[in-house]
């Protein structure tokens, strides 16, 4: 229990990519910065999600900070898609290099923040009793950092071992000789299931929704390839900063309609071999136009049809209720192949729902199975959960949780009416999860720090988004999302995975570069959508 009461210019909550970047650059800008982080080290997502098989689905050479040429050149990635331990080592290295930990207090879970109109400051409290105040509060609390468990009768009665992919223990449990159940088939499950299958005696996957997954085609980066990367890093970064998703990859230049039917497969094949989520970029408009999406689904189905041997398992693994790419395409290494193994089973919960969890195992309508281990890979209260679970009180004591009860509203994704001097990074209304979070974190951190500098230089003490500009931003985002197929999927992008959560497409779908251009234009005009006093 600590009762420190300190005063700062800026409090940054979260030590993932965005929080670290903001702390490094906030300190460089001469601000007195306090960082608060629930985990015991830097890393954010890459601190917590240490389940076996965890990797990023953005290539390592792109999924890294770009702000320092020296850093970029001295860190040598070993694989095309970096593992969680490697990304965590990278962030720890960055922390050492820029002395980030000096500004952070670790093991401090922020559970409250109050705006004081009289002092024009935020007072922030942690669960363990730390209290600190600052003129500015930056929430870099992550888009996928509030794990959820399913509400299944008897869930807590299970007598065996229980794990959650997103809060995996430091010491990896040994599943040798164990009967293991996995609930969920999102990216976390898709990455970990093949690894669990290597050691478990018996592995049963409980699937509610079949998911699209494309092989990563991961490989080691040898010295020759690394030299090529270094030679062309600038070009690669430029493409990423100017692209729609923060990576150098774009869609095929020729529109789908203009490619003869018998040549389309070759383009799909090329995108397939690029790996993982990049398949969604095969053709422009793949996630907006039903005919392109149908062709992509057909290609996908032929691919997995060539892998999964049992016809019923293949039918169950084939997604039927959403367009490809409208839930994030999983990036796997041997996922579908795993279901050909004799000790691996799939339970299709649409046909055979779970009735209860008992001390011995899981009972579905068709019968009970005993387990030694249950792994939950059941996702997150995405994009808003890490903010709404904190008592953030703005003007007149209003809670952010209440302000967002009917849907998250933001201006430019970074500010919320009624919450002066609160800046949210990678929040609802930003490209964040649809883009490369390493670069979006730099962009978001810069934007927040520029706004702070502008306010300070002009002698303002509070900056608040105007309600009408936030409504216009929300409407703009909703209009763009409405032109796509994304709304048809029951996904965490829309809040559909959380009972009672307001529905609405949460990330900004207009693309990374168009987003930057829009928000930079607001800055260049002196922040007209904000009230500065
Ligand atoms: O979570 P998810 P995740 N009974 O929400 C199921 C990023 N990420 O941790 O689809 C049975 O995708 C649920 O079923 P349904 C990436 O952006 C990236 O896997 O709701 N099942 C679903 O199958 C990703 O999208 C990487 O019907 C239940 C699963 O649990 C995001 O994080 C790796 C259930 C949850 O899937 C989240 O991924 C990992 C219930 N009651 C994560 N409740 C990479 O970079 C939920 N489910 C590769």
């Amino acid at each position: 229990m600590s009762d420190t009461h300190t005063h700062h210019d800026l409090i940054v909550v979260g030590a993932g990519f965005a929080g670290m970047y903001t702390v490094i650059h906030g300190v460089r800008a001469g601000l007195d910065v306090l960082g608060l982080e629930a985990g015991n080290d830097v890393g954010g997502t890459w601190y917590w999600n240490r389940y076996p098989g965890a990797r990023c689905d953005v290539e390592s050479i792109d999924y890294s900070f770009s702000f320092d040429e020296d850093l970029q050149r001295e860190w040598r990635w070993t694989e095309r898609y970096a593992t969680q331990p490697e990304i965590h080592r990278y962030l720890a290295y960055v922390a050492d290099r820029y002395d980030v930990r000096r500004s952070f207090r670790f093991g401090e879970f922020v559970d409250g923040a109050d705006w004081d109109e009289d002092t024009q400051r935020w007072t922030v409290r942690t669960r363990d009793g730390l209290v600190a105040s600052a003129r500015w509060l930056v929430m870099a609390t992550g888009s996928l950092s509030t794990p959820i468990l399913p509400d299944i009768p008897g869930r807590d009665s299970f007598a065996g071992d229980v794990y959650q992919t997103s809060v995996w223990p430091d010491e990896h449990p040994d599943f040798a000789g164990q009967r293991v159940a996995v609930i969920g088939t999102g990216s976390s499950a898709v990455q970990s299931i093949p690894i669990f299958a290597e050691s478990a005696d018996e592995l049963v996957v409980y699937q509610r929704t079949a998911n699209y997954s494309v092989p990563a085609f991961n490989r080691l980066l040898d010295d020759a390839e690394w030299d090529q990367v270094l030679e062309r890093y600038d070009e690669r970064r430029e493409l990423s900063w100017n692209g729609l998703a923060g990576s150098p990859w774009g869609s095929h230049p020729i529109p789908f309609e203009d490619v003869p039917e018998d040549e389309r497969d070759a383009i799909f094949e090329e995108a397939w071999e690029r790996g993982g989520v990049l398949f969604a970029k095969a053709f422009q408009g793949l996630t907006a136009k039903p005919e392109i999406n149908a062709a992509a689904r057909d290609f996908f189905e032929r691919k997995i049809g060539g892998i999964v041997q049992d016809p019923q398992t293949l039918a169950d693994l084939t997604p039927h209720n959403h367009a490809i790419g409208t839930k994030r395409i999983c990036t796997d290494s041997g996922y579908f192949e795993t279901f050909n193994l004799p000790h691996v089973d799939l339970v299709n919960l649409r046909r055979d729902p779970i009735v209860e969890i008992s001390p011995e195992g899981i009972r579905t309508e068709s019968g009970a199975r005993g387990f030694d281990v249950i792994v939950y890979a059941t996702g997150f209260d995405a994009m808003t959960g890490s903010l709404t679970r904190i008592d953030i009180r703005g003007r007149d004591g209003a809670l952010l949780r209440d302000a967002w009860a009917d849907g998250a509203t933001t201006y430019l994704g970074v500010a919320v009416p009624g919450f002066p001097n609160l800046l949210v990074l990678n929040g609802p209304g930003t490209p964040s999860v649809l883009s490369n979070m390493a670069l979006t974190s730099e962009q978001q951190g810069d934007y927040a720090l520029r706004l702070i500098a502008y306010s300070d230089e002009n002698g303002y003490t509070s900056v608040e988004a105007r309600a009408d500009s936030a409504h216009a931003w929300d409407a703009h985002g909703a209009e763009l999302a409405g032109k796509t197929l994304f709304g048809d999927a029951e996904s965490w992008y829309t809040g559909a995975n959380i009972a009672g959560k307001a529905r609405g497409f949460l990330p900004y779908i207009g693309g990374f570069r168009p987003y930057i251009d829009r928000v930079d234009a607001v800055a260049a005009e002196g922040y007209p959508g904000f009230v500065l006093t």
Side-chain angles (χ1 to χ4, degrees), residues 45-46 49 51 53-58 63 81-82 87 143-144 148-152 165-166 182-191 206-211 277 321-322 327-332 349-350 354 376-382 433-434 490-493 496-498:
T45 286
W46 302 104
N49 288 268
Y51 58 86
R55 284 177 194 278
C56 188
D57 57 4
V58 176
Y63 193 77
Y81 292 103
I87 300 173
S143 314
L144 292 156
I148 49 168
L149 284 173
D151 209 4
I152 299 172
T165 46
S166 44
V182 176
I183 301 181
T185 48
S187 294
S188 303
V190 162
Q191 288 187 326
Y206 289 85
Q207 169 194 277
R208 189 167 65 183
T209 305
N211 225 332
V277 285
N321 69 351
H322 62 287
K327 287 181 163 195
R328 191 170 180 88
I329 294 178
C330 304
T331 302
D332 75 273
L349 298 177
R350 304 266 170 186
I354 296 179
Y376 292 96
T378 43
F380 302 87
D381 183 354
V433 292
L434 299 177
E490 299 273 298
S491 73
W492 57 260
Y493 288 141
N497 66 328
I498 305 290

Side-chain angles (χ1 to χ4, degrees), residues 214-291:
V214 175
F217 297 106
N218 187 36
R219 59 171 185 273
L220 292 176
L221 295 175
D222 63 23
D223 287 344
E225 187 169 359
W226 185 251
D227 286 345
Q228 277 177 7
V229 168
L230 289 183
E231 242 171 64
R232 306 185 62 183
Y233 226 141
D234 291 351
E235 188 189 326
R236 195 167 175 119
R237 289 296 196 187
E238 203 182 319
L239 285 168
S240 299
W241 278 103
N242 288 308
L244 293 176
S247 87
W249 303 104
S251 302
H252 195 269
I254 305 174
F256 177 81
E257 301 76 16
D258 297 346
V259 176
E261 227 174 301
D262 61 348
E263 290 174 24
R264 289 174 184 162
D265 262 9
I267 292 166
F268 279 127
E269 181 65 36
E270 200 181 296
W272 182 271
E273 284 170 18
R274 218 174 278 151
V277 285
L278 293 171
F279 183 67
K281 286 182 177 292
F283 286 102
Q284 207 180 342
L286 188 148
T287 48
K289 295 188 180 166
E291 65 279 15

Side-chain angles (χ1 to χ4, degrees), residues 244 427 429-435 440 443-444 507-509 511-512 515:
L244 293 176
T430 63
S432 54
V433 292
L434 299 177
S435 192
T440 67
Q443 183 276 332
Q444 293 276 284
Y508 179 78
I509 205 169
F512 187 42
Y515 170 82

Side-chain angles (χ1 to χ4, degrees), residues 354-415:
I354 296 179
V355 176
E356 64 165 0
I357 292 179
S358 68
E360 294 77 32
I362 298 176
R363 190 157 70 82
T364 60
E365 280 183 1
S366 72
R369 299 181 82 141
F371 294 106
D372 305 300
V373 176
I374 297 179
V375 176
Y376 292 96
T378 43
F380 302 87
D381 183 354
M383 306 222 51
T384 57
S386 64
L387 296 161
T388 54
R389 69 175 164 169
I390 300 172
D391 290 338
I392 301 176
R393 292 181 189 278
R395 235 182 249 298
D396 304 321
L399 273 169
L400 183 68
R401 186 185 307 129
D402 294 341
W404 283 3
D406 294 329
T409 176
T410 67
Y411 180 47
L412 312 179
V414 295

